Amino acid sequence: MKTLYRVTGADGTTIGTYTSKEEAQTQQAQHNDACVDEVYKLSYTEMRILKTPTWFSKCDHIITWVSLPILVLICVGLSWFAWNKDRQIKGWEATSALIHLTKIEEETRDFLFIPISKELKITGSYQYWVGGDMYENTEMGIYTNEDVLELMEEDGESYAEEQYGVCYVNPANPEESALFTNSKGNYATYGLSAFLLLIGIASVFITHYSRKKRAFLRSLPPDKIIR
């Protein structure tokens, strides 16, 4: 919002609008019975805020305060799920495995249709032996691009479809296993949770600012606002 100074003649006609009070007073002295008053030129955003219906601003306020706890619960739930999964497999035992790789491909991870990272995804299965019994699983677990690159050839582009490696087995239930247990793979989940939480907090501040700004703009006399 910009404060200007308007010079008005005795008949109510606007003589001119000036950015400095001194300039306005100079023009006032040149016209009999002219007066100077402050007027306000609003920006495009301020005009939109001013024109927002009262019912919409109330709904916006309610939606923000209702959605924030829900967003917090989602963030906590995502973080807890990632942490709990990481905690569970930390105690699993390393076991030799025969890995059958079907595909390793690069995928782009998007957030709100915005590419944020490129990840290597694995498709395949692996066999392992516990107590003389053979098990087969397709659960890859938590992994990073670096883990995938270790399965690939030196050129970083090809891979052996069948190779020996290590998997991690739940000692309480040998049928439950994972090929990787790298907790760094959860960093993306933690980052997403933090990002969503920041959006929620920012929306509260923006809503509060808009309400205060709207109340102030509506307190101004309509004839003092230059459109």
Side-chain angles (χ1 to χ4, degrees):
M1 183 178 68
K2 183 183 294 184
T3 302
L4 303 175
Y5 300 91
R6 179 174 60 189
V7 180
T8 307
D11 58 354
T13 304
T14 300
I15 297 172
T17 305
Y18 307 93
T19 56
S20 68
K21 190 173 184 179
E22 291 76 13
E23 188 178 3
Q25 289 173 340
T26 300
Q27 293 296 323
Q28 179 189 19
Q30 298 175 6
H31 298 80
N32 294 329
D33 300 325
C35 63
V36 177
D37 61 339
E38 288 186 358
V39 292
Y40 310 99
K41 185 173 181 60
L42 306 185
S43 65
Y44 173 78
T45 302
E46 290 169 331
M47 289 298 297
R48 292 293 299 270
I49 292 175
L50 182 61
K51 292 180 179 179
T52 302
T54 303
W55 65 266
F56 180 83
S57 60
K58 290 182 179 179
C59 290
D60 183 50
H61 182 69
I62 294 172
I63 291 172
T64 299
W65 284 103
V66 170
S67 61
L68 182 60
I70 296 175
L71 193 60
V72 170
L73 289 176
I74 292 174
C75 294
V76 171
L78 285 173
S79 299
W80 180 87
F81 176 79
W83 172 81
N84 188 55
K85 186 176 182 180
D86 181 39
R87 180 184 61 83
Q88 288 178 346
I89 64 180
K90 279 296 185 183
W92 290 4
E93 297 177 351
T95 305
S96 298
L98 178 59
I99 305 169
H100 304 277
L101 297 178
T102 305
K103 185 189 298 182
I104 296 179
E105 58 184 352
E106 186 178 74
E107 292 185 357
T108 301
R109 177 180 289 227
D110 296 339
F111 179 71
L112 298 178
F113 305 104
I114 301 175
I116 57 176
S117 64
K118 292 187 179 295
E119 297 181 352
L120 295 174
K121 294 294 183 181
I122 305 174
T123 303
S125 63
Y126 53 93
Q127 298 171 334
Y128 56 95
W129 292 261
V130 177
D133 296 324
M134 186 190 76
Y135 298 88
E136 186 170 358
N137 206 338
T138 57
E139 174 59 45
M140 296 299 164
I142 307 170
Y143 59 90
T144 64
N145 288 349
E146 288 73 19
D147 295 320
V148 179
L149 290 174
E150 291 182 1
L151 298 178
M152 303 182 72
E153 303 292 348
E154 292 182 359
D155 58 12
E157 297 180 358
S158 58
Y159 57 90
E161 294 184 358
E162 186 174 280
Q163 55 184 282
Y164 285 94
V166 174
C167 69
Y168 299 87
V169 181
N170 182 359
N173 180 15
E175 293 184 355
E176 190 175 10
S177 63
L179 192 60
F180 301 102
T181 61
N182 193 338
S183 59
K184 290 182 179 179
N186 281 327
Y187 287 177
T189 302
Y190 297 139
L192 177 61
S193 299
F195 180 71
L196 291 175
L197 189 58
L198 286 175
I199 290 179
I201 295 173
S203 67
V204 171
F205 280 101
I206 292 173
T207 301
H208 180 68
Y209 168 79
S210 297
R211 284 174 61 85
K212 291 188 65 176
K213 189 73 173 180
R214 189 179 298 113
F216 170 73
L217 293 175
R218 287 177 177 171
S219 68
L220 298 175
D223 62 328
K224 299 289 186 180
I225 298 176
I226 300 177
R227 302 180 183 276

